[in-house]
Amino acid sequence: MNKLPECPIHPVSIKLLRQGHPWITADSFSNRFPRNSEFVVAMDERKRPMALLLHDPQHKNVKARLWTTKYPFDREAQHFTASVQARLDVAIEKRLQMKELKDRENYYLVFAEADQLPGLFIQKLNDRVLIQFYTSLWNKYKSIITTTIQEVFPEMKDDQFWFQMRGETRELQKLPVNAVDAGRRDEFHLSEFGNQYLIRLGSSYDHGLYTDMSAVRYELTKLITKDCRVLNLYSYTGAYSLWAMKLGASQVTSVDLSPKYIEWLQQNIGLNPDLDHTKHDALTMSVDEALAKLKSENKKFEVIICDPPSSSSDGDKRTSAIKAYKDLLRNMNMVLAENGKLVIFLNTHQTSGQKFERAILDYLKELNLNFKITQRLGLGQDCPTVKGFPEGSYLKGLVLEKV
Ligand SMILES: C[S@@+](CC[C@H](N)C(=O)[O-])C[C@H]1O[C@@H](n2cnc3c(N)ncnc32)[C@H](O)[C@@H]1O
């Protein structure tokens, strides 16, 4: 192996690396890393090697990711493949030991930086495995990844693996591709907490069920009591709606702008004969329209779940979810029953949990609404987070109780 390039990094990156932040973002230092080198040794302010980084010159923002701070770096780089296998084994074994995952056929085997496998997410979806790359450097290691997984799950055939390139820009948002047949589309069912869901691979960017929200769904068990009325805003394919029905809600209303997702939601309900579909209503319209309609009909709900996309466009302008919350809080309050609860989410790494909470408390004050925060929700179980790495804790939720 050639000598590893030793590169100075930005003073802020030095500080962040020391605090446990595993990314080197684009700046005048990282933009000068040698383009054709897979590894880079980061040098501290006294020109001492401080970390071995995986280099990603093609990524727009994240130019390198921490691999190790363990010396000697040249040996760590030489043994990279063996270390990948070892880290995969540790991550998978951890999930197999988690009793919380026994009621789910969907869970993460690997959760990227939190499993020391930067930019690599791997989900088990019933008997399929979806491998998602947020950095193209993993492309070279596809077969190492699949064979390591097959050693743990020997029944897994090559055609049960799917790969997907994920990213923030539109060009990087690719559909999942089957490992054996690039043109394949796949539809199957999986069970989460006793409910069946339809999963689609190969035909849409997201496959129909957000696995990173499973642990949060379970958390709502205590909140959705028998016979309460639940409103699920931005319902997508209805995971929260089905879960509320399973928990015994007397009435569930789902709202989503997309006819495709509402139809998918109806199919999901149809897969579960134990759920009483007469207790479910679907409104295919915008959340603003739905809240106005429900208010005019004098409808009330004990629990309202609100999980908007991180930003949305009405054709003219983009609005971030956090900005939209002022109107949403006002309008949700109009249809909330006495002592009702709002479960609100923000799904972006660009706003910290603290900032989200502060914004919500400010809005409530401006609107003269009396709520208290009774619970904070976030990633958990198979989706761990890392201290000092806020980008990894992208999901935040609050439970607000009307007082
Ligand atoms: C992040 S997903 C919600 C995920 C869902 N809560 C779950 O856990 O499965 C956002 C959803 O909001 C819908 N959506 C976006 N803008 C909307 C709007 N203005 N009104 C209603 N639905 C909207 C999208 O079609 C999409 O299904």
Side-chain angles (χ1 to χ4, degrees):
M1 184 179 257
N2 295 335
K3 190 172 160 19
L4 298 172
E6 297 185 332
C7 303
I9 58 171
H10 196 286
V12 175
S13 301
I14 295 177
K15 196 171 141 211
L16 287 172
L17 263 183
R18 287 197 176 120
Q19 289 169 356
H21 193 282
W23 285 356
I24 306 292
T25 49
D27 58 37
S28 55
F29 289 77
S30 57
N31 285 335
R32 284 206 296 267
F33 291 169
R35 279 194 76 77
N36 53 6
S37 182
E38 190 178 349
F39 297 100
V40 164
V41 173
M43 308 298 276
D44 70 9
E45 59 283 79
R46 290 162 66 188
K47 300 198 170 61
R48 293 171 310 192
M50 69 176 294
L52 180 65
L53 307 176
L54 305 182
H55 184 206
D56 187 3
Q58 276 146 30
H59 200 287
K60 217 172 108 213
N61 307 316
V62 188
K63 291 293 173 191
R65 296 166 195 251
L66 174 68
W67 181 247
T68 187
T69 51
K70 215 171 97 197
Y71 301 111
F73 293 148
D74 51 356
R75 211 179 64 198
E76 287 295 321
Q78 263 164 18
H79 294 173
F80 181 70
T81 305
S83 301
V84 171
Q85 288 167 315
R87 291 184 191 192
L88 283 168
D89 283 337
V90 169
I92 297 170
E93 186 54 31
K94 236 189 249 169
R95 276 42 177 214
L96 296 182
Q97 297 301 325
M98 284 185 184
K99 58 181 186 321
E100 301 93 320
L101 305 184
K102 301 283 181 255
D103 286 339
R104 287 159 51 181
E105 287 176 337
N106 58 323
Y107 54 87
Y108 277 87
L109 293 170
V110 172
F111 206 65
E113 275 73 1
D115 285 306
Q116 295 186 292
L117 288 158
L120 177 65
F121 291 84
I122 306 180
Q123 290 180 64
K124 186 112 179 353
L125 299 169
N126 193 347
D127 57 358
R128 277 74 158 178
V129 168
L130 173 63
I131 300 170
Q132 297 172 311
F133 299 155
Y134 282 75
T135 162
S136 52
L137 68 89
W138 291 115
N139 269 317
K140 255 174 76 179
Y141 298 94
K142 278 180 168 172
S143 73
I144 301 286
I145 297 170
T146 52
T147 49
T148 309
I149 296 172
Q150 281 170 320
E151 275 163 28
V152 186
F153 301 104
E155 69 285 4
M156 294 267 331
K157 303 281 173 286
D158 291 349
D159 66 356
Q160 287 163 281
F161 286 93
W162 291 75
F163 289 96
Q164 185 179 27
M165 189 67 212
R166 305 271 298 197
E168 283 172 16
T169 57
R170 225 160 242 297
E171 314 81 76
L172 285 176
Q173 295 184 357
K174 307 280 189 212
L175 297 186
V177 175
N178 185 264
V180 169
D181 172 3
R184 183 178 299 179
R185 289 175 167 217
D186 194 6
E187 287 199 3
F188 57 100
H189 302 155
L190 66 74
S191 146
E192 182 197 84
F193 312 130
N195 277 335
Q196 292 288 321
Y197 293 91
L198 168 66
I199 305 298
R200 291 188 169 123
L201 286 170
S203 51
S204 50
Y205 185 66
D206 288 318
H207 53 262
L209 186 64
Y210 290 114
T211 300
D212 55 358
M213 278 234 164
S214 287
V216 176
R217 272 192 284 282
Y218 195 71
E219 285 271 298
L220 299 193
T221 312
K222 295 162 236 155
L223 212 95
I224 301 175
T225 49
K226 245 185 162 4
D227 299 328
C228 70
R229 294 161 292 180
V230 176
L231 175 61
N232 182 13
L233 302 174
Y234 307 94
S235 65
Y236 186 49
T237 56
Y240 282 106
S241 306
L242 269 76
W243 184 223
M245 290 168 82
K246 186 84 167 181
L247 292 172
S250 60
Q251 178 61 39
V252 177
T253 303
S254 306
V255 179
D256 202 286
L257 199 51
S258 154
K260 175 180 151 189
Y261 294 147
I262 291 289
E263 198 191 319
W264 197 332
L265 180 159
Q266 305 281 22
Q267 277 179 276
N268 279 337
I269 294 178
L271 293 176
N272 295 277
D274 61 318
L275 301 181
D276 181 354
H277 66 93
T278 62
K279 293 184 173 167
H280 181 262
D281 281 327
L283 299 177
T284 313
M285 57 180 74
S286 79
V287 161
D288 292 350
E289 281 174 284
L291 288 170
K293 175 178 154 61
L294 294 167
K295 183 188 163 223
S296 73
E297 294 167 355
N298 214 10
K299 292 271 171 62
K300 296 282 175 194
F301 301 89
E302 278 72 31
V303 177
I304 303 180
I305 299 162
C306 178
D307 179 25
S310 55
S311 80
S312 60
S313 164
D314 66 359
D316 294 330
K317 66 172 183 11
R318 288 224 137 253
T319 317
S320 68
I322 194 146
K323 287 216 178 90
Y325 261 117
K326 185 169 174 188
D327 287 338
L328 280 170
L329 286 170
R330 182 197 296 112
N331 297 334
M332 288 192 287
N333 181 57
M334 305 277 194
V335 293
L336 192 66
E338 278 305 304
N339 306 318
K341 287 171 188 136
L342 300 178
V343 185
I344 61 170
F345 292 101
L346 186 70
N347 208 326
T348 171
H349 66 75
Q350 279 157 358
T351 309
S352 69
Q354 269 181 343
K355 204 169 155 199
F356 176 45
E357 202 168 311
R358 220 176 307 124
I360 294 299
L361 291 174
D362 287 348
Y363 292 151
L364 290 170
K365 207 166 162 188
E366 281 174 51
L367 296 165
N368 214 3
L369 295 177
N370 210 0
F371 280 84
K372 66 171 188 242
I373 296 173
T374 53
Q375 206 178 337
R376 289 171 183 85
L377 302 164
L379 295 168
Q381 297 180 356
D382 49 325
C383 307
T385 55
V386 179
K387 201 167 165 275
F389 180 43
E391 291 85 344
S393 341
Y394 54 85
L395 176 69
K396 29 251 115 163
L398 296 171
V399 180
L400 304 173
E401 201 172 319
K402 202 167 179 172
V403 285

